[in-house]
Amino acid sequence: MLNNYICQTCGVQYENSIEKPKECKICGEERQYISSNGQTWTTLESMIKDGTYKNTINFEEEGLYSITTSPSFGIGQTAYFIKDKNFNLLWDCISYIDENTIREIEALGGIDALALSHPHYYSSQVEWAEAFNAPIYIHEDDKEWITRPSERIVFWSGESLELEEGIIIQRVGGHYKGGSILEWKNGGNESGILLTGDIIRVVADRQWVSFMYSYANFIPLPGSTVERISTRVIELKFTRLYDAFHRIIKEEARQRVQKSATRYIEALNGTRFNT
């Protein structure tokens, strides 16, 4: 029997196969990890049949909803549903999707497109795209990490792609070569919202962000890369920032990203802390 197996550690779904893949290519490199319990797999059908999992769709602010799975599965990220004037976008993705989720999102107007920040959140993106008859936008620099090919995947190139007026995917790299963030100029009552996955991650102190090559294994990015990211971000329109784990910088987010980048670079250069 053919199955689209899902890695239980990262939550990414694979193309049809009779046997389970030997190893998850996403987890088997240094930005992620193979579980200490070993490589384990499941399927979406098994998750639904189990009856344990449920998606919750929460209203965040005008035009923005968060989508999370409980109990937490895989990396445990949050996906975001943007309901703009004439265009609905799913930013990043989660592994679990069922009929209740589809009905709730259809009631909000459905999904016109999916856009992904980086491979850790590809999850069951093809299942979502097929459920809503929508394309998936992924930067071509991350093409090698696709685990379930689909004709619905659109590989875009360059530094930015405007999906709809005021909804722009920005490639900034860092965590992955094709690492992307979403500039939503119409969000936040026209003051702008930035959705960053964990290309830029809000830390425990919600006044700061960080930038890492690997969060799981604590591998930092070079200072030059962080400087390049901050230079790109300062050009974008936003006052609020949402990351992949539902951490939010509610005010002055643009300035706080710049201050965080400066602190990060100074720490790497040994000019900030006397230890």
Side-chain angles (χ1 to χ4, degrees), residues 3-270:
N3 287 292
N4 292 110
Y5 287 101
I6 297 174
C7 172
Q8 289 188 283
T9 301
C10 72
V12 172
Q13 187 184 56
Y14 281 68
E15 62 185 323
N16 265 332
S17 62
I18 296 174
E19 297 183 355
K20 299 174 183 177
K22 292 181 179 179
E23 183 179 278
C24 174
K25 66 187 288 185
I26 301 295
C27 292
E29 66 99 44
E30 61 188 0
R31 276 167 287 201
Q32 185 54 12
Y33 61 94
I34 302 294
S35 171
S36 59
N37 296 321
Q39 179 70 65
T40 56
W41 302 92
T42 187
T43 64
L44 181 59
E45 291 76 16
S46 295
M47 293 174 71
I48 293 171
K49 186 177 180 180
D50 179 81
T52 301
Y53 294 99
K54 178 184 178 183
N55 284 341
T56 301
I57 302 174
N58 284 323
F59 175 80
E60 297 294 332
E61 56 181 284
E62 185 177 355
L64 184 66
Y65 299 78
S66 61
I67 309 174
T68 55
T69 301
S70 58
S72 181
F73 179 78
I75 294 174
Q77 73 269 17
T78 299
Y80 292 95
F81 175 77
I82 294 173
K83 186 174 176 62
D84 201 61
K85 299 168 185 176
N86 299 301
F87 186 80
N88 296 343
L89 177 71
L90 184 69
W91 172 250
D92 278 331
C93 199
I94 53 179
S95 303
Y96 189 69
I97 179 173
D98 59 10
E99 289 300 323
N100 287 335
T101 304
I102 294 169
R103 280 195 295 269
E104 286 188 60
I105 293 178
E106 288 286 8
L108 293 171
I111 294 171
D112 295 306
L114 291 78
L116 281 296
S117 64
H118 73 290
H120 287 155
Y121 304 150
Y122 289 174
S123 56
S124 295
Q125 59 182 1
V126 176
E127 300 281 353
W128 285 78
E130 290 181 348
F132 295 98
N133 192 28
I136 304 166
Y137 289 91
I138 291 172
H139 198 277
E140 66 176 7
D141 284 347
D142 288 339
K143 191 173 185 177
E144 66 182 287
W145 300 105
I146 296 297
T147 57
R148 183 180 174 185
S150 170
E151 292 181 354
R152 296 185 181 276
I153 298 175
V154 178
F155 293 106
W156 63 280
S157 61
E159 298 304 300
S160 65
L161 177 67
E162 189 164 27
L163 296 174
E164 188 76 5
E165 184 178 0
I167 301 178
I168 307 165
I169 314 173
Q170 302 282 358
R171 189 203 77 87
V172 297
H175 188 38
Y176 270 81
K177 188 177 180 181
S180 300
I181 58 181
L182 188 77
E183 180 187 15
W184 182 28
K185 292 185 176 182
N186 303 325
N189 294 316
E190 307 292 331
S191 63
I193 289 175
L194 199 67
L195 296 105
T196 62
D198 59 9
I199 305 302
I200 300 172
R201 184 169 177 180
V202 181
V203 299
D205 180 347
R206 303 302 201 268
Q207 308 304 309
W208 301 86
V209 301
S210 193
F211 320 80
M212 297 285 278
Y213 181 76
S214 170
Y215 290 95
N217 299 315
F218 305 113
I219 306 173
L221 286 169
S224 58
T225 301
V226 174
E227 184 175 6
R228 175 177 54 76
I229 292 172
S230 67
T231 299
R232 283 291 315 284
V233 169
I234 201 170
E235 300 171 351
L236 309 182
K237 179 185 176 183
F238 67 102
T239 59
R240 197 166 300 146
L241 185 152
Y242 287 78
D243 79 356
F245 297 94
H246 202 242
R247 289 182 173 179
I248 308 162
I249 297 180
K250 296 182 178 180
E251 297 177 343
E252 299 182 342
R254 190 163 164 269
Q255 296 92 319
R256 296 190 187 283
V257 170
Q258 298 305 310
K259 290 179 180 178
S260 297
T262 298
R263 181 174 76 168
Y264 186 105
I265 294 166
E266 288 177 350
L268 285 181
N269 293 340

